[in-house]
Each structure stands twice: as structure tokens, then as C-alpha cells.
Amino acid sequence: MKDKRFILMSELMDLSNEIIWRNKPELEAALKGYTLNEIEVIEHIALIPQANVTKLAAASFMTRGAISKLTKKLLEKSIIERYQTPENKKEIYFRLTKEGEKIRKIHTDLHQRFLERDQEVFTPMTEEEYDTIFRFIGRYRHHLQKTK
């Protein structure tokens, strides 16, 4: 019999890949001209207070160099803008422009549509099932962060 850990990890990877494969055409059509990495950075800039290259790299699991390239592209597309605070003239932060907010809204609306499409999977789930899944994910992420 196969190791249950192996089976679980295979199932999680397959599920993740299947979700991406299923959603990708709709995401690409609605967000034409933007890469998935750019969309991820837009999302993080919206959610992280005083988002800078270091915070974005950590949140996206990318290098600071990769984030610098992505933010440069987004600046050129007028999706984000840079700013500094009066307290810290050295550090550069990013925020969304109005156009960036529009792109983020399209992305958020798509994810809401995906949740509605998949509602039949979530409706029968109990609080206990959610808690078990969240505990497992939390333990695994904590383990990965410890072993960096």
C-alpha cells in the first residue's frame, strides 16, 4: 500500500493544478495583457499596508529582483504608483492607481464567480471539516517556514 502522505500530497497537487487549468482560460480572457504574477502582485499591493519590494517578495514567494521587474512593468502600465512617507524618505512603497483598482476588482469578481460555480462542494462542509483542513494547512505552512 502506498504511503498516505504521498497520496495526500499527490491529491493536493492534482487538485491545485486542476483548479488552475479550469480557471486559467477565464482569467486570461478577463485579464488580457497581464500575467498571473502581475495579478498576484496587484492583489498583494492592495492587501499589504505600505507594500514595498521586500514585503511583496515575501508574500509572493519571489525574489526581490523579480518583484522589482514586475513593479516596473506595473508602473509603466499605470496600474500602480510609488510613494514615500514623510517619516521615511528612503523607503519606496506601492499602491494601486484607479486603473489598478479596476484590474483588482475584475480579479476579485472572477474568484467570487468561481466560488459560486463550485458552491456545491462547500455547502455540505461542516465547521469541523473546515477546521481540520485549516489546521492541516496551518501546520504544513508553519513547517515549511521553519525549514527555509
Side-chain angles (χ1 to χ4, degrees):
M1 173 156 167
K2 273 193 173 178
D3 184 336
K4 283 189 176 183
R5 295 170 301 176
F6 179 82
I7 295 168
L8 176 60
M9 293 308 296
S10 292
E11 289 290 324
L12 286 173
M13 291 301 294
D14 287 349
L15 175 61
S16 177
N17 289 333
E18 195 169 346
I19 291 168
I20 290 166
W21 179 83
R22 173 74 165 78
N23 295 346
K24 190 175 179 180
E26 202 169 340
L27 282 165
E28 286 177 343
L31 298 165
K32 200 172 189 89
Y34 297 94
T35 67
L36 292 178
N37 284 340
E38 288 172 333
I39 298 301
E40 182 178 0
V41 169
I42 290 168
E43 197 64 37
H44 287 308
I45 289 171
L47 297 174
I48 297 171
Q50 293 187 319
N52 61 17
V53 169
T54 302
K55 289 178 183 179
L56 293 170
S60 302
F61 302 99
M62 293 183 210
T63 65
R64 288 178 26 208
I67 293 296
S68 291
K69 287 180 184 177
L70 286 168
T71 53
K72 183 178 178 187
K73 286 182 186 177
L74 294 172
L75 285 162
E76 289 169 0
K77 292 178 179 182
S78 298
I79 298 301
I80 64 172
E81 59 189 13
R82 59 178 67 187
Y83 71 96
Q84 294 173 302
T85 61
E87 307 83 48
N88 185 352
K89 292 288 186 190
K90 184 179 145 196
E91 190 65 55
I92 301 211
Y93 303 103
F94 302 101
R95 63 181 161 225
L96 299 181
T97 61
K98 285 185 181 179
E99 191 60 31
E101 290 289 351
K102 287 180 194 173
I103 298 300
R104 180 172 186 250
K105 175 142 178 42
I106 291 168
H107 182 240
T108 303
D109 290 349
L110 280 170
H111 278 280
Q112 185 60 42
R113 204 158 58 228
F114 298 152
L115 278 174
E116 289 166 9
R117 175 197 68 204
D118 300 335
Q119 184 58 39
E120 69 183 67
V121 174
F122 298 102
T123 299
M125 285 186 65
T126 65
E127 286 299 314
E128 186 177 280
E129 288 173 314
Y130 276 112
D131 291 345
T132 300
I133 292 168
F134 291 146
R135 256 191 327 274
F136 170 75
I137 291 170
R139 269 196 317 262
Y140 206 129
R141 292 188 81 186
H142 179 73
H143 162 74
L144 292 175
Q145 289 165 2
K146 275 190 340 192
T147 58
K148 279 185 186 176

